[in-house]
């Protein structure tokens, strides 16, 4: 704390040579330019930047490789854990034969097959819903609804629209039953 006060201030000492020194104009200009701008020369700065960039890229590559290695280890550990769990559950299933098949445990491959089969059934259902036959039934249903709205006091005047709707529904039902055979 008090060290700065207890040490005497040193004064600047200047040494004057006994012989005169002479420097060339180029040396004096270079020293004055360098003293005026203490920046690193452009070529040197580019070299330093390139070196730093290469070190950063090398470190990033190393970190990406390490991350990939850790991810692979985690995936292997999880896969092993899941397989062990499936084997354990399948072993419990075979040990208790009185359990119904609805509670049985399936492997991942069997579950993926079941999911694909279910996905195909859903796509088939949506394709059937979008078919022309059902769009015709929907159109006739809208005709019945609009007829009832326009003849609110005399709904019996809509008998023709209702009969057309019933006929289109019966036709779609018949085609569906024929497709099942």
């Amino acid at each position: 704390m008090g060290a700065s006060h207890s040490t005497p201030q040193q004064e600047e000492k200047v040494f004057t040579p006994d012989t005169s020194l002479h420097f060339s104009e180029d040396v004096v200009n270079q020293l004055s330019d360098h003293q005026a701008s203490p920046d690193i020369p452009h070529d040197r700065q580019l070299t330093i930047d390139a070196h730093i960039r290469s070190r950063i890229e090398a470190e990033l590559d190393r970190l990406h490789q390490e991350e990939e290695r850790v991810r692979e280890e985690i995936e292997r550990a999880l896969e092993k854990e899941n397989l062990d769990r499936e084997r354990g559950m399948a072993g419990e299933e075979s040990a208790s034969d009185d359990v119904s098949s609805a509670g049985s445990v399936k492997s991942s491959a069997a579950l993926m097959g079941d999911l694909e089969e279910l996905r195909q059934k859903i796509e088939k259902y949506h394709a059937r819903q979008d078919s022309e036959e059902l769009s015709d039934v929907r159109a006739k249903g809208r005709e019945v609804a609009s007829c009832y709205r326009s003849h609110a006091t005399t709904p019996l005047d809509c008998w023709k629209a209702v009969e057309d709707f019933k006929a289109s529904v019966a036709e779609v039902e018949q085609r569906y039953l024929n497709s099942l055979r």
Side-chain angles (χ1 to χ4, degrees):
M1 281 180 152
S4 64
H5 296 291
S6 62
T7 58
Q9 296 285 337
Q10 291 185 359
E11 293 183 27
E12 187 176 315
K13 293 183 180 181
V14 178
F15 292 101
T16 55
D18 292 336
T19 61
S20 64
L21 296 174
H22 295 285
F23 294 104
S24 71
E25 187 73 25
D26 292 335
V27 172
V28 171
N29 286 339
Q30 184 178 2
L31 287 175
S32 66
D33 288 346
H34 186 49
Q35 189 176 18
S37 63
D39 294 334
I40 299 173
H42 184 68
D43 294 340
R44 176 80 174 136
Q45 185 65 40
L46 290 176
T47 305
I48 291 171
D49 289 348
H51 178 70
I52 291 172
R53 241 183 263 111
S54 68
R55 288 182 60 189
I56 289 172
E57 288 174 1
E59 184 66 17
L60 276 174
D61 288 342
R62 186 189 68 76
L63 289 173
H64 284 299
Q65 290 172 353
E66 179 71 17
E67 179 184 12
E68 186 64 30
R69 185 186 63 78
V70 168
R71 182 180 290 128
E72 288 174 359
E73 286 179 14
I74 290 171
E75 287 175 359
R76 280 194 298 267
L78 288 174
E79 184 177 344
K80 182 179 182 287
E81 184 180 319
N82 287 340
L83 287 174
D84 290 346
R85 187 179 302 140
E86 284 180 6
R87 286 186 188 123
M89 294 173 102
E92 291 172 8
E93 176 192 352
S94 63
S96 60
D97 291 334
D98 59 329
V99 177
S100 67
S101 63
S104 66
V105 176
K106 296 183 178 183
S107 69
S108 297
L111 288 175
M112 290 302 290
D114 290 348
L115 281 174
E116 186 60 34
E117 182 182 330
L118 186 60
R119 188 174 293 123
Q120 289 173 353
K121 286 180 181 179
I122 290 172
E123 288 173 4
K124 187 177 177 182
Y125 171 78
H126 285 299
R128 209 177 8 204
Q129 291 293 325
D130 295 337
S131 71
E132 279 186 34
E133 298 168 342
L134 289 181
S135 64
D136 185 43
V137 170
R138 287 189 188 106
K140 294 208 186 279
R142 284 191 293 272
E143 286 176 22
V144 170
S146 68
C147 182
Y148 280 141
R149 279 190 215 105
S150 64
H151 297 95
T153 57
T154 57
L156 293 178
D157 291 343
C158 298
W159 69 270
K160 178 68 173 149
V162 172
E163 289 300 318
D164 290 344
F165 176 72
K166 285 182 182 179
S168 66
V169 169
E171 184 180 328
V172 169
E173 285 177 347
Q174 191 61 41
R175 285 187 190 156
Y176 178 71
L177 291 175
N178 288 339
S179 72
L180 293 177
R181 293 182 188 157

